[in-house]
């Protein structure tokens, strides 16, 4: 069954069309990597999946719930869709522990003890149990992003969205975040990842989507994509990005 | 010019203290209600709701475009009549205090609203996205994520506004309320020592406000790093 269904989605910022007739899907347990040059609309597309951006045409269905349906409670849906951002977006006025537990308590209605246990378990999973009482500002970028992943996982999401999770990181910190993501992928988490990390795509992606100028120009299995991408634009992009 | 005579000040201290109490009471009430009502106005202005945003903007612009003295007088003339009509309360000196409190609270809210609006806008948009993505509805996002960060950024501005407010309370003399300034004026007038009393009152205002300003300055240094 499709966890995420994107059907003929178009979006405009005023007169400027950022997404044109995008259709794809992510099935349960699948890892889909979305890549493309900057300004191609890939971040916008993933932000549309949990309704952070509105669409003007088309339909997005997550776990059987249509986002545009007036009876849909967007907050409720988002609570079960984990999202990780380029700039981490931990809450700077809260300790790591509070970052991990606040939404569990206030949104899911878990008890403090339950939320703490779940949050610390996830923190342990990303290898940062010792940092529980620190504030985000005292952590490195890589550590902050791992906490952000733990925060999303603590909500027991049905799928995870990653919006360029390593783009803001210093090179030496990229791998610690990718390792966590690879582990998640191999454990069967449904993932949609906007990233330039082709090594990550090669390792764990089931499918790769290539976007250019707001269109999905390639949507292929990993082997097909890295073997013989059909779109010329995708070939060019790959040759540039795989040089180093 | 005859020499200064400060002898009437020690005896007047209880009256001046009572006056200071009124000054502080008005200041505290205006800060408290101003921040609460100001937050509501700021959120209304920032909400996507057009009519609501327009009403809040109209309120803020109205109060920021008229002199405080006039607002105090208006409320002094209007509030007692309304209270009499609605609640049958008789006109007394207590009503002067109530009308002053209402005037200051409503007037200050307009200024606080603008400070709070700027503070809310100073919180990066990504923080709102992150809160939304965790399933927080708008009110939780504001209460738990945006406003705490906004108020932290706003502390120096809020305190500066409070200092201005503390000085502005002296304007209640127009409705004959004996705040600190009013009390000093009355004593000076009674004893024929107006210059001394007003110099003394000025010194007290200066010490309190300048001290508070130094504190704000310290805070600013601390928060800007």
């Amino acid at each position: 069954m499709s966890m995420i269904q994107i059907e003929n989605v178009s979006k405009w910022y005023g007169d400027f069309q950022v997404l044109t007739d995008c259709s794809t899907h992510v099935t349960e347990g699948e890892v889909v990597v979305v890549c493309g040059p900057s300004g191609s609309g890939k971040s916008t597309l993933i932000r549309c999946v949990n309704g952070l951006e509105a669409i003007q045409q088309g339909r997005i269905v997550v776990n059987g719930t249509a986002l545009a349906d007036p009876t849909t409670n967007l907050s409720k849906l988002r609570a079960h869709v984990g999202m990780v951002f380029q700039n981490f977006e931990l809450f700077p006025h809260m300790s790591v522990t509070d970052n991990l537990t606040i939404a569990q308590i206030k949104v899911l209605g878990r008890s403090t003890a339950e939320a703490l246990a779940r949050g610390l378990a996830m923190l342990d999973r990303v290898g940062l149990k010792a940092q529980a009482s620190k504030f985000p500002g005292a952590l490195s970028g890589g550590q902050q992003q791992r906490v952000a992943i733990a925060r999303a996982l603590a909500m027991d999401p049905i799928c995870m969205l990653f919006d360029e999770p390593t783009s803001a990181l210093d090179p030496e910190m990229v791998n610690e975040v990718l390792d966590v993501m690879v582990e998640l992928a191999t454990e069967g988490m449904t993932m949609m990842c906007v990233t330039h990390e082709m090594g990550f795509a090669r390792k764990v992606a089931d499918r790769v989507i290539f976007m250019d100028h707001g269109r999905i120009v390639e949507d292929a299995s990993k082997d097909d994509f890295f073997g013989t991408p059909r779109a010329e634009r995708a070939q060019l992009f790959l040759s540039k990005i795989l040089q180093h | 010019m005859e020499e200064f005579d400060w002898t009437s000040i020690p005896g007047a201290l209880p009256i001046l203290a009572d006056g200071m109490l009124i000054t502080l009471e008005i200041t505290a009430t205006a800060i408290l209600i101003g921040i609460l009502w100001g937050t509501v106005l700021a959120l209304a202005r920032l909400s996507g709701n057009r009519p609501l945003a327009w009403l809040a903007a109209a309120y803020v612009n109205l109060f920021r475009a008229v002199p405080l003295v006039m607002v105090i007088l208006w409320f002094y003339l209007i509030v007692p009549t309304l209270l009499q009509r609605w609640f049958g309360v008789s006109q007394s000196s207590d009503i002067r205090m109530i009308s002053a409190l209402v005037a200051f609270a409503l007037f200050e809210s307009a200024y606080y609203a603008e400070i709070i609006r700027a503070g809310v806008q100073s919180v990066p948009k990504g923080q709102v996205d992150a809160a939304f993505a965790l399933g927080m509805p708008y009110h939780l996002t504001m209460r738990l994520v945006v406003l705490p960060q906004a108020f932290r950024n706003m502390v120096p501005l809020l305190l500066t506004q409070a200092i201005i407010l503390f000085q502005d309370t002296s304007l209640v003399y127009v409705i004959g309320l004996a705040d600190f300034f009013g009390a000093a004026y009355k004593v000076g007038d009674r004893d024929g020592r107006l210059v001394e009393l007003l110099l003394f009152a000025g010194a007290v205002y200066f010490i309190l406000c300048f001290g508070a300003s130094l504190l704000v300055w310290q805070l600013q240094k601390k928060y800007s790093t």
Side-chain angles (χ1 to χ4, degrees):
Chain A
M1 188 197 129
S2 258
M3 181 65 81
I4 301 168
Q5 190 76 37
I6 298 171
E7 298 167 7
N8 309 105
V9 167
S10 292
K11 176 178 174 63
W12 287 262
Y13 286 127
D15 288 337
F16 179 67
Q17 186 161 12
V18 278
L19 295 176
T20 307
D21 200 27
C22 295
S23 295
T24 189
H25 62 92
V26 182
T27 50
E28 206 175 327
E30 203 176 19
V31 176
V32 173
V33 163
V34 184
C35 61
S38 59
S40 60
K42 53 196 189 309
S43 280
T44 308
L45 182 68
I46 203 170
R47 287 166 59 82
C48 288
V49 171
N50 67 353
L52 288 180
E53 304 271 354
I55 57 173
Q56 281 79 47
Q57 256 173 41
R59 212 165 86 97
I60 295 178
V61 184
V62 177
N63 197 29
T65 309
L67 259 62
D69 191 327
T71 61
T72 296
N73 183 336
L74 256 187
S75 296
K76 228 171 189 167
L77 183 67
R78 286 174 182 145
H80 301 289
V81 176
M83 184 153 188
V84 175
F85 298 88
Q86 182 175 356
N87 293 313
F88 332 132
E89 305 300 352
L90 293 178
F91 304 134
H93 58 301
M94 297 179 193
S95 68
V96 166
T97 303
D98 288 342
N99 266 281
L100 291 166
T101 54
I102 185 108
Q104 292 187 67
I105 296 167
K106 300 287 182 179
V107 175
L108 299 181
R110 288 180 181 162
S111 71
T112 310
E114 198 184 350
L116 192 65
R118 185 80 187 130
L120 290 180
M122 291 303 109
L123 193 63
D124 192 24
R125 180 173 176 174
V126 300
L128 292 172
K129 203 168 189 177
Q131 319 293 334
S133 58
K134 288 194 178 156
F135 277 75
L139 303 180
S140 73
Q143 289 175 325
Q144 288 191 51
Q145 194 61 299
R146 282 147 71 195
V147 172
I149 294 173
R151 178 175 72 175
L153 290 176
M155 301 291 284
D156 294 316
I158 51 171
C159 62
M160 289 281 290
L161 308 174
F162 291 85
D163 184 7
E164 305 209 30
T166 57
S167 300
L169 294 174
D170 291 334
E172 75 269 23
M173 293 172 184
V174 168
N175 279 331
E176 61 185 82
V177 171
L178 287 180
D179 288 347
V180 171
M181 290 171 65
V182 167
E183 201 184 305
L184 262 183
T186 50
E187 281 168 20
M189 174 64 79
T190 309
M191 293 163 70
M192 185 169 175
C193 314
V194 173
T195 182
H196 291 298
E197 298 294 337
M198 288 301 118
F200 170 76
R202 272 180 194 278
K203 208 181 277 180
V204 295
D206 295 300
R207 273 177 31 243
V208 180
I209 291 171
F210 179 79
M211 290 185 72
D212 193 29
H213 291 109
R215 292 174 189 274
I216 293 178
V217 293
E218 184 96 32
D219 186 344
S221 74
K222 172 178 63 179
D223 294 337
D224 284 349
F225 184 81
F226 287 111
T228 50
R230 281 163 298 167
E232 202 179 312
R233 194 69 183 78
Q235 288 175 11
L236 193 70
F237 177 78
L238 265 185
S239 69
K240 271 185 189 159
I241 214 163
L242 293 180
Q243 268 170 9
H244 29 257
Chain B
M1 191 179 163
E2 64 182 300
E3 280 190 18
F4 288 131
D5 175 6
W6 305 99
T7 49
S8 63
I9 289 178
L13 284 179
I15 301 177
L16 293 174
D18 283 349
M20 184 54 82
L21 219 58
I22 289 182
T23 294
L24 291 175
E25 201 180 322
I26 296 174
T27 307
T29 310
I31 290 174
L32 195 73
I33 297 178
I35 289 179
L36 289 175
W37 181 223
T39 305
V40 174
L41 288 168
L43 292 181
R45 272 196 95 166
L46 291 169
S47 76
N49 186 325
R50 271 273 187 72
L52 202 64
W54 188 89
L55 276 177
Y59 178 100
V60 168
N61 288 325
L62 174 73
F63 274 102
R64 280 160 59 98
V66 292
L68 177 54
V69 170
M70 259 168 76
V71 176
I72 295 169
L73 269 175
W74 280 345
F75 277 91
Y76 176 56
L77 298 173
I78 294 167
V79 171
T81 324
L82 288 183
L83 283 180
Q84 252 171 334
R85 193 177 302 164
W86 293 343
F87 305 109
V89 183
S90 69
Q91 207 153 340
S92 70
S93 72
D94 201 26
I95 278 181
R96 283 197 302 216
M97 184 65 180
I98 293 173
S99 75
L101 288 175
V102 172
F104 270 95
L106 295 186
F107 185 86
E108 287 302 316
S109 326
Y111 284 84
Y112 279 119
E114 285 301 272
I115 294 173
I116 293 162
R117 186 166 71 114
V120 168
Q121 285 174 323
S122 75
V123 177
K125 173 82 173 59
Q127 289 284 304
V128 177
D129 288 341
F132 280 172
L134 284 166
M136 291 188 194
Y138 180 82
H139 71 276
L140 277 184
T141 300
M142 278 295 154
R143 188 158 63 81
L144 301 174
V145 176
V146 177
L147 288 177
Q149 293 185 61
F151 274 102
R152 187 178 290 199
N153 297 343
M154 286 183 298
V155 165
L157 274 178
L158 291 175
L159 287 176
T160 305
Q161 185 63 29
I163 294 169
I164 297 171
L165 167 61
F166 175 74
Q167 296 165 27
D168 283 352
T169 51
S170 57
L171 290 172
V172 294
Y173 84 90
V174 293
I175 56 172
L177 205 56
D179 72 321
F180 181 65
F181 173 78
Y185 191 93
K186 268 183 196 160
V187 172
D189 203 30
R190 183 196 66 195
D191 298 349
R193 291 286 162 210
L194 200 51
V195 176
E196 287 86 344
L197 261 295
L198 290 189
L199 274 174
F200 175 73
V204 171
Y205 274 114
F206 176 81
I207 290 166
L208 290 177
C209 292
F210 189 66
S213 294
L214 288 179
L215 192 78
V216 174
W217 194 58
Q218 288 288 329
L219 276 173
Q220 245 163 346
K221 264 206 310 197
K222 203 177 127 193
Y223 277 100
S224 64
T225 50

